[in-house]
Amino acid sequence: DTLWDLAIAEVEKRENPDDDGKHVEVWEKSILFMGNKNGGKTTIILRCLEREEISKPTLALEYTFGRRARRHNTPKDVAHFWELGGGTSLLELIRIPISSNNIRSFAVVLVLDLSKPNELWTTMEKLLQVTRNHVNKILTKLEKTNPEVATEIKQRMWNNLQRDHPDYELVDPFPIPLVIIGSKYDIFHEFDSEMRKIISKTLRFVSHYYGASLVFTSKSEALLLKARVLINHLAFGYDKSKSVSVDHSKPLFIPAGLDSLSQIGPPPASDSDIGKMRANTPLELWKKVFEKTFPPKSFCDLQDTKNPAQDLQYVEYEVDIMRAQKNQELEQYKRNASKSWKEMDLDS
């Protein structure tokens, strides 16, 4: 599909009414995939779009889209898929795909590598924190320019949780729809049972606290299908699954709003250990308990230091020659500037 195909579909939608004499509304959604570097984001996107392609490392921020028709002879709905590469090293790019123009139809999919528990919390915290801050800035502006839309988005945050839910006053929903995917379950399944329990309970709490859906997946088609169900609901409005799997010895599958703090239980630590931990919020307490078992890598360690310009898969002879020339000119400029400053110091 090209931009021309999309334009034609849009015109047909406007010009051709359906059987009831009403125009068929085209569903257009956007989703940002982010998470651990090499965590399986691209593979999940390709499976959702039913593309038989070999996944390649994502460079910076990449875009693709998918189209689905809800009924025969109706315009196809459009889903925009953005993928943030580099783990937590390119946080500033998060603001590019999310804008005031698409905030009403935007969702986030956070892919966490279950095989790297020591990176899990830091990756999750940084990505969600930056995304939430950016979304909140957009909502603050909308409150002044379009207060009705801002109110609608804020009210929708609570749609997954009924008012009579026992945890209604205890959670802090993410401002836009969120799905958390635990990838590489095949490796995670080989972990010690107690380690698996701590990771599973922690992710259940975080997902429930943020009003998010949670699913564990791997390269297995059966598990990828479960992830596709949640993503297709966000992207194309497909029916949301109501099945639930909370057994820690099996892959988790918990749609938003179908878990509870009573089912999750307390943080996996002794009462004496919990008593020694100083935490201002439940989320902070779970973080301290989790990091006691899985000491986090520092944020600097998670930064992607590899320079894409040196990657052989992006070699372009003419461009590389010109770049080398410009680098030499820059170094010469720096040396000349340094001499000028030294001469000025001597004169003074």
Side-chain angles (χ1 to χ4, degrees), residues 154-172:
K154 289 182 178 180
Q155 289 177 344
R156 198 177 60 193
M157 289 163 50
W158 296 91
N159 283 355
N160 290 320
L161 212 60
Q162 300 296 326
R163 280 196 172 273
D164 59 354
H165 194 290
D167 304 332
Y168 192 83
E169 301 292 336
L170 304 174
V171 297
D172 185 19

Side-chain angles (χ1 to χ4, degrees), residues 240-253:
K240 186 165 68 170
S241 174
K242 293 184 179 179
S243 64
V244 178
S245 175
V246 296
D247 186 344
H248 297 144
S249 63
K250 299 177 181 178
L252 298 181
F253 182 82

Side-chain angles (χ1 to χ4, degrees), residues 165-167 170-171 205 208-209 259-266 286:
H165 194 290
D167 304 332
L170 304 174
V171 297
F205 172 80
H208 184 58
Y209 186 76
D259 211 343
S260 68
L261 295 177
S262 60
Q263 288 181 313
I264 297 169
W286 277 84

Side-chain angles (χ1 to χ4, degrees), residues 93-116:
L93 297 182
I94 288 175
R95 60 185 174 82
I96 293 176
I98 311 176
S99 69
S100 57
N101 295 325
N102 63 15
I103 189 71
R104 296 173 72 181
S105 58
F106 212 98
V108 170
V109 174
L110 176 65
V111 181
L112 299 173
D113 189 339
L114 296 174
S115 69
K116 300 177 180 177

